[in-house]
Amino acid sequence: MSFFGNRKLIIVLIGLVVLLVVMGYTAKDRMNLTWPEKFMKDTTSVVQGFFYRPAQAVSQFVHNVQDAYHVYEENRVLKASLDQYAQMSAELRAVKYENEQLRESLGTKQNYHDYNVIYSEVAARNTSQWNDVLVINSGSKQGVKKDMAVMTSKGLIGRVKDVSNFSATVELLTSKESSNRNHVSGYILPTQPVQTPNSTAGNGQQTNGANSTANVAKPKPVSGILEDYDSVGKLLIMRKISLDQKISPNDAVITSGLGGMIPSKLPIGVVVKTEPGDYGLTQTAYIRPYADFTLISDVLVIDRKSVMTPAGEMVPSGQGTTQESKGKGGK
């Protein structure tokens, strides 16, 4: 048993010595490789090439998939950022527009300090009645009453038709179904002076040319009634205008304050053109409104302040002042 054990040990030692000799021989710089080395290198290169190409293709495919996924994720993040930017831009424009509308409404409210002005927002507007009515979020609890004038920062748009506790329905001037209650009495303010006949002196002679400037009178307001709307030209129609009145394009139109609860001097629009009225006895004016009826978001409800007349009656402030002045003049 010891002999066989010693023989195994001797074989191992001899193998180590041979290995060291071969390693030392092959480690030296040589001009040519031995044929075993050549065989091993060729065999190894063939086997490595056989496995390397598929592995490289698989690795490239996985790398491409990862790149495509990264591109997809980056694209998704960029689209989300772009959508967020578009949303923020839209919100910013909306806030700017709302700010401008509030500033204009505030400025308009300050201009009408003689009236009780109630600020309100449009709560609803039905597309089937777009040109007829809209609903605001102020009602009787906020002081809104039936037939009160309603306007934007630009001009008059209609009157209050129905009132509930916290909302009200506004009938627009553009309504084709409006009743006589929605007819508005207005004044056209002519811009051209009126020529009056030359005055004569006491001896029956005409005054000289130096006094001819006195014959130019200041134009007086021309009264009429807003009764209809031209949906094609988007113009308000004012009828019952005296035929002998001189009206020119771009003449301003305001409310007269005669009758009803609509105050005076509220802007309506400008005259675009005139034409003969019914039977040629009157003339009709077509008016471009100041207010934009296609986009209404904020409105002002105008309430006439009431005053006590000397007779003890409560009338709108404009009428009360007129009656008081007449009473003083009669004394």
Side-chain angles (χ1 to χ4, degrees):
M1 293 296 293
S2 61
F3 172 76
F4 289 103
N6 292 333
R7 190 173 64 176
K8 292 180 180 180
L9 180 59
I10 292 171
I11 292 172
V12 172
L13 292 175
I14 292 173
L16 290 174
V17 171
V18 173
L19 180 61
L20 292 174
V21 171
V22 172
M23 291 178 60
Y25 178 76
T26 57
K28 296 187 298 181
D29 293 334
R30 294 170 295 160
M31 295 298 295
N32 298 314
L33 297 175
T34 61
W35 67 267
E37 292 177 330
K38 293 180 180 179
F39 177 77
M40 292 298 297
K41 285 184 176 291
D42 292 339
T43 304
T44 304
S45 63
V46 172
V47 174
Q48 287 179 344
F50 179 77
F51 288 102
Y52 175 76
R53 290 184 181 89
Q56 183 68 18
V58 172
S59 176
Q60 187 67 29
F61 175 76
V62 173
H63 182 70
N64 292 336
V65 171
Q66 291 178 347
D67 289 343
Y69 179 75
H70 292 159
V71 171
Y72 170 76
E73 287 294 324
E74 291 179 358
N75 189 28
R76 186 176 62 84
V77 173
L78 291 176
K79 287 183 66 177
S81 300
L82 184 61
D83 294 340
Q84 186 177 8
Y85 172 77
Q87 181 180 0
M88 292 180 64
S89 299
E91 291 178 354
L92 179 60
R93 289 193 296 269
V95 169
K96 285 184 177 180
Y97 175 78
E98 183 179 2
N99 188 23
E100 292 175 359
Q101 293 295 315
L102 291 176
R103 287 179 179 273
E104 291 179 356
S105 299
L106 179 61
T108 305
K109 184 175 181 179
Q110 292 176 349
N111 292 335
Y112 295 100
H113 52 82
D114 291 336
Y115 308 120
N116 294 323
V117 180
I118 304 170
Y119 172 80
S120 182
E121 296 180 353
V122 176
R125 192 174 183 183
N126 195 335
T127 54
S128 62
Q129 296 179 311
W130 190 262
N131 291 328
D132 297 329
V133 295
L134 56 83
V135 179
I136 59 177
N137 61 357
S138 297
S140 58
K141 295 296 183 181
Q142 289 75 32
V144 178
K145 300 177 183 178
K146 185 179 176 63
D147 292 331
M148 282 186 176
V150 182
M151 64 179 296
T152 65
S153 59
K154 302 296 184 182
L156 185 71
I157 63 171
R159 67 171 185 91
V160 176
K161 181 180 180 181
D162 299 310
V163 183
S164 59
N165 289 333
F166 300 100
S167 65
T169 301
V170 178
E171 186 175 15
L172 301 176
L173 295 177
T174 57
S175 175
K176 302 293 291 185
E177 301 177 357
S178 60
S179 60
N180 292 332
R181 295 180 62 86
N182 202 34
H183 293 176
V184 178
S185 174
Y187 281 149
I188 299 176
L189 305 179
T191 55
Q192 295 184 0
V194 178
Q195 298 289 338
T196 60
N198 292 330
S199 60
T200 56
N203 54 7
Q205 296 180 354
Q206 244 182 3
T207 57
N208 54 21
N211 296 329
S212 60
T213 56
N215 299 326
V216 179
K218 183 179 179 180
K220 296 181 179 180
V222 178
S223 63
I225 305 295
L226 287 174
E227 295 183 349
D228 204 350
Y229 176 69
D230 179 11
S231 58
V232 177
K234 297 182 178 180
L235 301 174
L236 300 174
I237 301 176
M238 176 178 280
R239 295 191 173 94
K240 296 182 175 62
I241 304 173
S242 178
L243 193 61
D244 59 350
Q245 298 291 341
K246 179 65 175 177
I247 302 174
S248 303
N250 297 324
D251 285 350
V253 182
I254 62 174
T255 57
S256 65
L258 300 177
M261 297 183 64
I262 297 181
S264 61
K265 300 180 181 179
L266 300 181
I268 297 177
V270 293
V271 176
V272 175
K273 63 179 181 178
T274 59
E275 62 182 25
D278 298 336
Y279 308 106
L281 301 178
T282 59
Q283 57 181 328
T284 300
Y286 290 83
I287 301 166
R288 177 177 294 108
Y290 290 126
D292 184 5
F293 286 87
T294 60
L295 184 61
I296 303 175
S297 57
D298 307 282
V299 298
L300 300 173
V301 182
I302 310 298
D303 180 17
R304 275 179 132 174
K305 292 182 179 179
S306 299
V307 296
M308 183 73 70
T309 64
E313 299 178 355
M314 295 295 295
V315 297
S317 57
Q319 296 181 4
T321 305
T322 304
Q323 291 182 5
E324 185 176 357
S325 60
K326 288 182 178 180
K328 290 182 179 179
K331 289 183 180 181

